[in-house]
Amino acid sequence: MRSEGFIGEPLPWLSRSASMSVMPGAGQASLETLRALLTAVSVSPYMESVIQWPTPQDTVTVRKALRQLGSCGLVRKVDRRTVALTDVAKRWLAGEPNDLLIGAFHAHVRYMGELLADVSSNSLTHDELLQVANKNYDFGWSSLDPLRRRTTWLRALGLLDISFDHKIVITPEGVDILKYLVIQKPEELPHRLRQEASELFNINPPGEVLTGLLENLDSRALKNRKPVIGYVPRGSRDDALDSFRLLVGSMIPRITRQELNVFCRKEFGIQESSVAGTLSMLRGTGLAEQVSIDEFAATPAACEWIETGDNLDLVRIIHSNISCFGEILYAIEVADQVPALTAYLVRSYGMPRKDVAGVRTRIQILRACGLLEEAAFARYRLTSLARSFRDTIPLLRPEKEREEVSSENASEELDAAQSLRITSSRLLLAAELISASTDSTNPRRLELAVAKAFHELGLPAEHHGLPGSTDVVVMLGLGGNETEVAIVDAKSSASGVVTEHHVDFDTLREHKKKHNAQLVALVGPSFEEGRLFKRAKEHEVSLIDIDLLATTVRNQQDSPLAPSGVRLLFHPDAKTALQKFWTAEERSRTLISHVLAVVVREAANPDPVFGGVLTPKDVYALLRNEMEVKPSIDQIENALDLLASPLIRGISKTKNGYLACEHPFTTSTRLRSLATSLEQTAGLLES
């Protein structure tokens, strides 16, 4: 029996999520794990609540669990701290049929119903379906993982099956459901319907205030724009534009600081300290100004935007005040993912630090204003409106287009190219790990990829893989008493799930004894919940899912793990332990770049009181509203001491504090030179 209204109108294609969620377990177990999660969230709807999930023996915060669920129409944000189940989720928990789920999934995630349609007339293998999906919908997927996530759910819902020859077959239930789904036609995709932007878009000219603002943007003004965009509160809103409109509207005609605190607490659920960061963001972006000792008002330019209602006016205002904003409309064609785009902006536009979070905020605003769209998961491209609009605003030219290119920049280009080669190699290896994990016809392929992965993580790793022998032996350390031996068994599975019958724990125990190993691990695409986890715990065998290993390889470029860090892969809660490490590493890098920027700015334009010299407390006062997580005085002092160390010499330590003594590019060049020398150590060891 069908649920009433089980299929709703799907969201527009570009508003749907590009990625599908994944639940621990396989087949019907996915549904049970989902049911357990939604039940727990209904009882504990607070993001920081700790729930027992995915098993009664495991605990996790609601925030972390919902990251695995993704945006599939079952949970909605109420405010920054609270979530609620959607009507669909409540009805499904109350016992209504599973067809509610496919309705929600199709409405909120790209290529769910479309996948059913693509296999409805012709059964396809996952590899064949990958080609069809990329051709018809321009996804650019390089691995089978996005498809397998979707087919896993559709199989759990009884809409697909896998035949004996590994082909995806639609079931009678799937054929019936397909009648109710509104399928996105490839030829009607938004970017395919667009013609030349000049034919489609008539860009409204800016008003009088904004015209004057743009006319003053000469090359000097473009270079002197503020580098940090700051904190944009959201509350329960996913659209940054709503936040900007509410904030600017609250300041017309004016508002006191106390009134703003009350307003932001009500609308966004943020505290006074975050309101201070919000106010700093509004002033920095040119949307607000201080009109008395305790009052603030929307700037004339912001008032003009509110009056016209043209979101391109918001882009013009922010671009006039924040560096590397409108420039993204050209840079995105060079690098379409946030980390690579950030590196390119640093290299070619002089962004003072790798502010990944800041670039992500810029992307979100440009996307909300209709200038960017998500082409595939976390990959962005220009809309036709953007191609027409970008030539109407003054833009800073990239470094390579300027007449004088210094030796520092030339060296940076070479180092960036080398970094790009290393990054590409790791990305390819990560993709190979994921692809090989489901290639059960060639188990040796995964064994070799796993051995290469541990080698890429800086550890001696040998591939054995012979009958009666373990697959990979890894040395966790460089020798001596602290080195541990780990044996790793690689298990590929065409279904994407390693089950209990795949694993021989007695053989693993024999291999452990044979190699005098201290650690044993299984690597696979995912692992069946229940007895497999229980038996693995009893035999002290770590289960490493392939997504975590691939992520670790990718992150090795920016957050390299020492042998002790790689050992976290064998930790019972490896994902949490590694994520904590990566988060701490990113915060440390961000803090160092912030600290250096503050000290350099002060030296370039010394305050009469400070005289260009800053203490750790001075730096804290200048930074506390720039960073999402406020650093401690000790962390700031450690960063200053590192930058002042004899090998780095980016700043100098005086009796009164710290003083910048060179351009950051000189400091970064010295560090790259040191890194190059250290890379040559491998050759010295071999000689």
Side-chain angles (χ1 to χ4, degrees), residues 91-224:
R91 290 168 59 191
W92 182 66
L93 283 183
E96 293 196 38
N98 289 339
D99 53 18
L100 282 170
L101 293 183
I102 183 58
F105 291 167
H106 174 65
H108 292 84
V109 180
R110 298 179 199 172
Y111 204 62
M112 288 298 290
E114 290 76 17
L115 191 157
L116 281 177
D118 280 344
V119 298
S120 62
S121 57
N122 187 24
S123 300
L124 302 167
T125 66
H126 276 92
D127 286 315
E128 291 167 342
L129 185 58
L130 179 65
Q131 296 179 29
V132 171
N134 282 338
K135 178 181 177 182
N136 289 348
Y137 293 92
D138 301 326
F139 285 126
W141 289 337
S142 59
S143 79
L144 295 177
D145 182 60
L147 279 178
R148 290 195 183 279
R149 288 173 179 248
R150 289 162 169 79
T151 57
T152 295
W153 279 112
L154 293 171
R155 290 175 66 192
L157 294 170
L159 308 179
L160 290 180
D161 205 349
I162 301 291
S163 65
F164 70 93
D165 55 353
H166 306 297
K167 296 215 171 182
I168 305 165
V169 181
I170 191 168
T171 65
E173 177 72 4
V175 173
D176 185 50
I177 284 284
L178 196 53
K179 300 174 186 175
Y180 299 91
L181 302 178
V182 179
I183 301 301
Q184 173 68 55
K185 297 178 181 178
E187 63 272 17
E188 293 179 2
L189 286 169
H191 66 279
R192 292 188 179 176
L193 287 175
R194 297 188 185 105
Q195 303 170 12
E196 287 297 320
S198 58
E199 297 176 5
L200 279 175
F201 297 104
N202 180 23
I203 304 297
N204 293 322
E208 182 179 352
V209 176
L210 276 170
T211 297
L213 202 61
L214 294 172
E215 286 177 349
N216 289 328
L217 278 184
D218 56 17
S219 59
R220 181 181 180 85
L222 287 168
K223 292 177 187 176
N224 290 334

Side-chain angles (χ1 to χ4, degrees), residues 155-330:
R155 290 175 66 192
L157 294 170
L159 308 179
L160 290 180
D161 205 349
I162 301 291
S163 65
F164 70 93
D165 55 353
H166 306 297
K167 296 215 171 182
I168 305 165
V169 181
I170 191 168
T171 65
E173 177 72 4
V175 173
D176 185 50
I177 284 284
L178 196 53
K179 300 174 186 175
Y180 299 91
L181 302 178
V182 179
I183 301 301
Q184 173 68 55
K185 297 178 181 178
E187 63 272 17
E188 293 179 2
L189 286 169
H191 66 279
R192 292 188 179 176
L193 287 175
R194 297 188 185 105
Q195 303 170 12
E196 287 297 320
S198 58
E199 297 176 5
L200 279 175
F201 297 104
N202 180 23
I203 304 297
N204 293 322
E208 182 179 352
V209 176
L210 276 170
T211 297
L213 202 61
L214 294 172
E215 286 177 349
N216 289 328
L217 278 184
D218 56 17
S219 59
R220 181 181 180 85
L222 287 168
K223 292 177 187 176
N224 290 334
R225 289 172 296 171
K226 297 175 182 64
V228 177
I229 195 165
Y231 169 64
V232 180
R234 299 295 181 87
S236 61
R237 298 167 181 80
D238 290 327
D239 191 342
L241 289 180
D242 286 345
S243 297
F244 281 120
R245 288 193 191 96
L246 278 171
L247 289 165
V248 172
S250 74
M251 295 183 165
I252 299 176
R254 58 182 58 198
I255 192 170
T256 66
R257 189 184 297 271
Q258 184 58 36
E259 289 169 340
L260 185 62
N261 287 335
V262 173
F263 177 82
C264 288
R265 189 181 308 116
K266 177 184 176 183
E267 292 294 338
F268 304 107
I270 60 177
Q271 298 303 311
E272 189 172 328
S273 58
S274 296
V275 177
T278 300
L279 184 57
S280 176
M281 177 276 298
L282 290 169
R283 296 176 68 185
T285 53
L287 295 171
E289 59 186 353
Q290 189 165 2
V291 293
S292 74
I293 191 169
D294 196 43
E295 287 187 311
F296 303 88
T299 61
C303 291
E304 196 168 80
W305 165 51
I306 294 296
E307 184 177 341
T308 65
D310 188 345
N311 291 330
L312 295 182
D313 281 347
L314 175 64
V315 175
R316 290 168 175 133
I317 296 169
I318 298 176
H319 174 68
S320 299
N321 291 275
I322 301 296
S323 66
C324 297
F325 188 71
E327 287 75 13
I328 287 177
L329 300 179
Y330 278 98

Side-chain angles (χ1 to χ4, degrees), residues 415 669-685:
D415 290 327
T669 300
R670 185 177 298 111
L671 282 169
R672 283 194 296 273
S673 176
L674 178 60
T676 301
S677 297
L678 291 175
E679 287 169 1
Q680 295 170 357
T681 305
L684 296 175
L685 292 173

